[in-house]
Amino acid sequence: MSIAVFLSTVTDEFRSYRDQLRGDLTRQNVEVKVQEDFKGLGGDTLGKLDTYIAHCDAVVHLVGDMTGSAPLGVEQQAWLRGHADFAATLPPLAEALRDGAEISYTQWEAWLALYHGKLLLTAKAEPSAPRDAQHAPTDLSRAAQAAHLRRLAAVKRYPDCTFANVADLAKHIAYTGILDLLVKDYARQVAAERDIAQGFIGEMADRVAADPNLDLEGKKQAVRNAIEIYEQEIAGGRTQTNLGEMVDRALANAKRLTDEGKSRAARAALRRTATNLRRDDADRRAAYETRIRAVLGRERDIALAAYDGEAAAEAVLAMAEALHGDRRAVLIAEGEALVEVGDQRGSNVHLIAAIAVRRAALALATGADEIGYDRTVLGIALWRLGERESGTARLEEAVAAYRAALEEYTRDRVPLDWAMTQNNLGTALQTLGARESGTARLEEAVAAYRAALEERTRDRVPLDWAATQNNLGNALSTLGARESGTARLEEAVTAYRAALEEYTRDRVPLAWAGTQNNLGTALSTLG
């Protein structure tokens, strides 16, 4: 186990909480220790706690109404003699000891975490939180705990969170601060197997760990993606080139700063180089553009590796601004490449960058065709990212983008583009509807698919017609599962069978297999 955590609490008050949290953390491959692991061995318990906490990663400190037992005076004095700097490091504790306050083992555990610079997660029980059978607080113990919390607040280490029950505690502890530690440790483990600078790993892991839209597996994937970019583009990319001494120095300096965990400084240095190149090489357009793409492309890659999609988009925008020619064309090409990587590698950061780039392209669009196209591809990127996130904001934006596109892609003027956008709108509405308890979004999705089929006919575009029939079947099947009758399910079966008229096994085997599976599910629900 690579993550070690100490659970600090008064057993008589929170044994059940401690045991549940210990089990939850252990299942995440975390080593968990508690006070009894050392106290039962006898001897200098405070010294044993100090030694373990000095080498663990975090202390989870549960605070209630009871203080627990306190170390003997001789035991406490022995620790103080061996740590002469504690008063300067922990002034509130030093003041309390001078005033004769009794500091319990459990309270000491929090101060030991702070003394050794460990992550301290303090969780205070709400008054209504159930306690264990041995819970027997006194006015004196309550006052001592209140004073303890005031001391922690003085060093800005309280409050972290409160909890009302075991599940509430697990939500705050096991899936927040400890999750961050697991992500950072995973990044270190992956990096240890390769020649990767620790400064880069630390900065990147901090950003990935802070993403609220990813679970542990998603964060691990983001770490792997970042390391792949680092190896292929930053460490493996050319540091000695034939693009000129200025670019050679800039790329080497950017790698050095990235290795030190200073991706912002690396990007700023590359941007300055790009500015200088633009000024110095304006009369040598071809060479200038090659250098600009090298420098700002590297800025983009560093931002992506550091899990900063907005910064990556800013680099692309700077590239489009710096290059001669059609800025919108550059943004479209870069946006398509970002979406492709985001799809293939399951990388959210690439999609975040793509969305910002496509918004910038839309701002440059002129005429109905360009505006309609840019709104449609923006909707696609929003929908793909929205599928991966737990909220619905991106999906709502995708619906709005598609509906705005339909104002330009009219049925009379561009019927097939109009039908394509109706199909995309249906897909976004269907994804939203699947996350909601009602049927309104699903009904809208069905309407959008039926509208698309008015122009996506079998004779004109047989495979597109089959795809929309399959999509329609999915929406109807979801509706049917929520309604008491069988009419929707029967319509879904009809749609799937229609799709299979063009989705043949010989022609498109994977699409045929998927639709057959959908049909089987609908028939099973009917049966």
Side-chain angles (χ1 to χ4, degrees):
M1 296 182 184
S2 50
I3 295 295
V5 174
F6 186 87
L7 291 185
S8 166
T9 186
V10 176
T11 304
D12 286 349
E13 187 170 7
F14 294 121
R15 178 184 292 275
S16 60
Y17 288 77
R18 184 199 70 185
D19 292 347
Q20 178 67 45
L21 190 57
R22 189 176 197 176
D24 288 347
L25 293 176
T26 302
R27 281 191 292 273
Q28 295 288 339
N29 293 325
V30 177
E31 178 189 78
V32 181
K33 294 290 186 182
V34 297
Q35 188 183 122
E36 284 85 343
D37 294 334
F38 307 100
K39 196 170 184 179
L41 300 175
D44 186 349
T45 301
L46 185 59
K48 292 184 177 70
L49 291 171
D50 176 63
T51 299
Y52 182 77
I53 290 173
H55 294 91
C56 75
D57 297 287
V59 171
V60 177
H61 186 53
L62 309 188
V63 181
D65 303 322
M66 299 174 66
T67 59
S69 61
L72 297 174
V74 63
E75 185 179 355
Q76 187 168 275
Q77 287 302 317
W79 187 91
L80 295 174
R81 284 194 301 273
H83 300 79
D85 62 339
F86 93 96
T89 307
L90 307 172
L93 176 61
E95 181 180 355
L97 292 173
R98 284 195 301 270
D99 293 342
E102 182 179 79
I103 307 299
S104 71
Y105 281 117
T106 303
Q107 293 172 348
W108 263 107
E109 288 156 4
W111 292 110
L112 289 173
L114 296 178
Y115 178 79
H116 291 295
K118 303 301 179 180
L119 174 66
L120 175 64
L121 300 172
T122 302
K124 183 179 183 300
E126 295 182 1
S128 61
R131 302 315 207 267
D132 288 350
Q134 302 302 315
H135 181 230
T138 64
D139 290 343
L140 188 62
S141 69
R142 288 190 175 97
Q145 288 292 73
H148 174 57
L149 291 177
R150 286 195 297 273
R151 295 181 200 117
L152 290 177
V155 292
K156 302 187 186 305
R157 295 315 307 264
Y158 172 78
D160 285 324
C161 70
T162 61
F163 61 95
N165 50 55
V166 172
D168 202 21
L169 177 63
K171 174 183 175 183
H172 286 295
I173 301 301
Y175 305 112
T176 53
I178 302 302
L179 180 61
D180 291 352
L181 286 176
L182 287 169
V183 171
K184 294 172 186 177
D185 181 69
Y186 177 77
R188 288 193 295 271
Q189 289 181 31
V190 175
E193 302 168 0
R194 302 166 177 175
D195 184 19
I196 299 177
Q198 290 301 309
F200 161 74
I201 288 295
E203 182 190 24
M204 174 270 291
D206 283 343
R207 284 187 173 275
V208 172
D211 188 338
N213 292 309
L214 298 177
D215 60 12
L216 179 58
E217 286 307 312
K219 292 182 180 188
K220 286 182 177 180
Q221 181 63 48
V223 166
R224 292 192 293 269
N225 289 339
I227 289 174
E228 183 177 344
I229 296 171
Y230 175 90
E231 289 183 321
Q232 293 183 0
E233 302 298 338
I234 299 167
R238 294 173 298 179
T239 55
Q240 296 297 320
T241 72
N242 58 358
L243 301 178
E245 183 181 355
M246 183 185 298
V247 173
D248 292 346
R249 287 199 310 268
L251 297 182
N253 182 53
K255 181 182 181 299
R256 177 184 61 79
L257 291 169
T258 302
D259 288 349
E260 294 172 1
K262 301 174 182 177
S263 67
R264 179 175 295 184
R267 298 195 308 268
L270 290 166
R271 184 67 63 86
R272 288 193 297 272
T273 300
T275 300
N276 292 335
L277 286 169
R278 187 177 185 182
R279 180 176 56 248
D280 295 343
D281 291 352
D283 57 336
R284 297 188 294 267
R285 182 168 300 184
Y288 161 76
E289 291 192 355
T290 302
R291 293 174 180 180
I292 283 291
R293 289 184 182 276
V295 170
L296 293 180
R298 184 63 53 85
E299 180 188 348
R300 174 202 61 213
D301 293 337
I302 287 174
L304 291 169
Y307 203 72
D308 193 339
E310 294 298 331
E314 289 174 7
V316 172
L317 267 60
M319 182 190 298
E321 179 69 28
L323 291 172
H324 302 292
D326 188 345
R327 291 166 53 200
R328 180 172 168 274
V330 174
L331 295 175
I332 289 173
E334 287 288 324
E336 289 176 350
L338 288 165
V339 169
E340 182 178 359
V341 175
D343 280 348
Q344 292 177 351
R345 298 182 186 173
S347 174
N348 286 7
V349 71
H350 283 80
L351 293 178
I352 290 169
I355 288 167
V357 169
R358 287 184 161 174
R359 289 192 195 282
L362 176 58
L364 297 174
T366 58
D369 286 342
E370 288 186 359
I371 295 171
Y373 171 81
D374 284 348
R375 286 174 174 171
T376 298
V377 296
L378 172 61
I380 292 170
L382 287 163
W383 169 70
R384 284 173 174 160
L385 184 58
E387 274 195 308
R388 301 175 185 174
E389 296 182 347
S390 57
T392 60
R394 303 280 193 185
L395 294 172
E396 295 283 1
E397 289 181 80
V399 168
Y402 290 136
R403 285 182 168 149
L406 288 169
E407 296 175 9
E408 308 296 332
Y409 276 170
T410 62
R411 182 177 181 180
D412 290 340
R413 193 173 63 81
V414 281
L416 289 180
D417 289 337
W418 173 86
M420 172 197 66
T421 307
Q422 288 283 7
N423 180 77
N424 292 346
L425 173 61
T427 302
L429 288 165
Q430 182 178 336
T431 307
L432 272 172
R435 298 185 183 182
E436 298 174 354
S437 58
T439 60
R441 295 290 196 175
L442 293 171
E443 294 283 1
E444 290 180 81
V446 168
Y449 290 138
R450 293 196 191 282
L453 289 169
E454 293 174 13
E455 295 294 340
R456 271 192 167 184
T457 63
R458 184 179 180 182
D459 290 340
R460 182 186 283 179
V461 281
L463 289 181
D464 290 343
W465 171 83
T468 303
Q469 288 283 8
N470 183 64
N471 292 341
L472 174 60
N474 291 338
L476 289 166
S477 183
T478 305
L479 271 173
R482 297 182 183 180
E483 297 177 353
S484 57
T486 61
R488 295 292 195 178
L489 290 170
E490 290 170 352
E491 290 180 83
V493 167
T494 300
Y496 289 137
R497 284 177 170 157
L500 288 169
E501 293 173 10
E502 292 295 339
Y503 272 175
T504 62
R505 185 174 185 176
D506 291 339
R507 189 178 192 182
V508 280
L510 292 181
W512 172 83
T515 306
Q516 286 283 9
N517 182 70
N518 294 340
L519 175 59
T521 300
L523 288 170
S524 176
T525 306
L526 268 173

